[in-house]
Amino acid sequence: MIIPLRNCCCFVLLINVLLFAGACKKKSNPAPTADPTLQSTAPFLMGSAVGSDAIKGSYNYQGTLINEYNSVTSDYQLKFDWVEPQQGVFNYADGDYIVAFATQHHMRVHAHNFIWHQALPNWVINFQGDSLAWENLFKTHIESEATHYKGQVASWDVVNEAIRDDDGTLRNKDVNPGDGSIWRQHLGADYIARAFQYAHEADPNALLFYNDYGQEWGGVKLDSIIALVTSLKNRGIPISGVGMQMHIDINASNAGITAALKRLAATGLKVHISELDISVNPNNDPNIVFTSDLQTTQAAKYRFIAETYRATVPAAQQYGITTWEFCDADSWIPAFFHRKDWPLLFDSDYKKKAAYFGLLKGLKD
């Protein structure tokens, strides 16, 4: 059959129109959406402790950190023995590196810490002087470090772990090795208030936190932490918030976690889950295997923590959730306890674990 020329032209035109329409339809398809991340999902800032060497040494570490987090906490590089290894001689190189990296990538910096009973240089441990000399040592260190980072860090853990586990009193002289506080011994019980005052005078815009572990235990430890921060607040001491470390394991009581978060929120201060990790081997089993059941249990605990934090702490008081590092290979737990463990969100190859997805669900569901 011979198709008339006019009909043939119309037929060709129709084909071209259909092809053009198909091309347009193909172009109008939306681009694939990026996978959700911790920082894109959370209604508050998501943080991790970081070390300067890890940032410098691993492209995968850098990439995961930048992609998932918008807040960092200095791991060790701003502690006393690192910053002032000799009296009056300050070493800020590694802390400066962390701050510069965070600033470049638009991350908040939470600095850790001014005053702790550990991580002290020998010159402090062996210091000989009267109460005025001790006060000058104490004040000079806080003011010098706070002034150096003024305007560069958003917040500080001013005093870390000042309360005993057994009876809730302030650490003083050693009962168990390593439990005593040289600061309480030489400066008196009110050294904590003065630490906050000195930090505030040096950097009035920084938010100032008291940081400790064991709130989820309840009992005298939680009672004493609540009493301490409430007293500081009522006295007009410039305290902004409290850090709930949350170094826990998969058996930690959900009821205890919930009760602690409610009581901390009731102080009216900001609440920072500041050092979160969840151990799966609290019994130090040398033959443990990270089974799918353990992974599921750990993921459920991460999810519960995020959900409970969102539900119990008012939005204005949510300073965020910070994990203590993010990759199992960088966790402090295996080396400290000499055991196998997998406490964090990413495995040693920076692959997301079930724990990651559990936390992600808790941040949005």
Side-chain angles (χ1 to χ4, degrees), residues 86-355:
Q86 301 176 50
Q87 187 170 14
V89 178
F90 290 86
N91 170 29
Y92 294 119
D94 292 298
D96 288 352
Y97 184 89
I98 292 172
V99 171
F101 179 86
T103 301
Q104 178 184 356
H105 297 287
H106 311 290
M107 297 174 172
R108 179 184 71 189
V109 180
H110 179 72
H112 175 84
N113 57 57
F114 287 126
I115 297 299
W116 189 26
H117 63 284
Q118 297 183 26
L120 297 173
N122 287 332
W123 73 266
V124 171
I125 295 170
N126 299 320
F127 186 77
Q128 300 294 316
D130 60 16
S131 60
L132 290 177
W134 272 98
E135 189 73 25
N136 181 64
L137 178 165
F138 174 75
K139 180 180 181 181
T140 298
H141 177 81
I142 294 172
E143 289 184 341
S144 298
E145 193 170 8
T147 298
H148 180 83
Y149 288 108
K150 181 178 181 179
Q152 300 180 70
V153 306
S155 50
W156 280 94
D157 288 329
V158 177
V159 177
N160 192 51
E161 302 176 2
I163 293 174
R164 294 186 62 87
D165 299 347
D166 51 2
D167 60 7
T169 61
L170 291 180
R171 297 179 189 273
N172 189 5
K173 295 181 179 179
D174 281 353
V175 175
N176 300 312
D179 272 356
S181 171
I182 206 167
W183 308 114
R184 171 67 177 84
Q185 292 172 37
H186 293 284
L187 299 174
D190 212 34
Y191 80 92
I192 297 174
R194 298 199 303 280
F196 277 86
Q197 289 172 321
Y198 296 150
H200 179 69
E201 289 166 4
D203 187 357
N205 293 322
L207 299 177
L208 306 178
F209 286 73
Y210 174 77
N211 191 54
D212 214 326
Y213 63 90
Q215 289 97 323
E216 66 278 0
W217 304 341
V220 293
K221 181 90 185 230
L222 177 60
D223 291 344
S224 296
I225 291 171
I226 297 291
L228 171 63
V229 299
T230 301
S231 173
L232 293 173
K233 180 183 176 184
N234 291 343
R235 290 170 56 191
I237 303 299
I239 181 171
S240 311
V242 57
M244 183 180 183
Q245 290 186 11
M246 292 280 278
H247 294 297
I248 62 172
D249 63 62
I250 54 175
N251 300 315
S253 164
N254 286 353
I257 292 168
T258 302
L261 282 169
K262 287 181 177 179
R263 290 190 63 189
L264 292 172
T267 65
L269 297 168
K270 294 183 183 298
V271 179
H272 184 199
I273 294 182
S274 57
E275 302 185 19
L276 176 62
D277 46 33
I278 302 178
S279 166
V280 300
N281 188 18
N283 296 321
N284 289 27
D285 179 359
N287 300 312
I288 191 171
V289 175
F290 194 33
T291 63
S292 59
D293 286 345
L294 277 178
Q295 294 176 49
T296 299
T297 301
Q298 184 187 52
K301 188 69 71 175
Y302 268 110
R303 178 176 181 174
F304 174 80
I305 289 166
E307 289 175 340
T308 307
Y309 181 73
R310 291 171 56 216
T312 58
V313 180
Q317 292 172 250
Q318 294 173 0
Y319 201 62
I321 294 178
T322 294
T323 57
W324 205 249
E325 289 290 352
F326 51 88
C327 170
D328 285 337
D330 299 312
S331 171
W332 66 283
I333 290 174
F336 187 85
F337 292 106
H338 306 289
R339 73 187 189 209
K340 297 178 182 178
D341 219 316
W342 302 266
L344 291 166
L345 306 178
F346 296 82
D347 68 16
S348 296
D349 294 320
Y350 298 95
K351 294 179 181 177
K352 298 171 182 176
K353 294 164 49 183

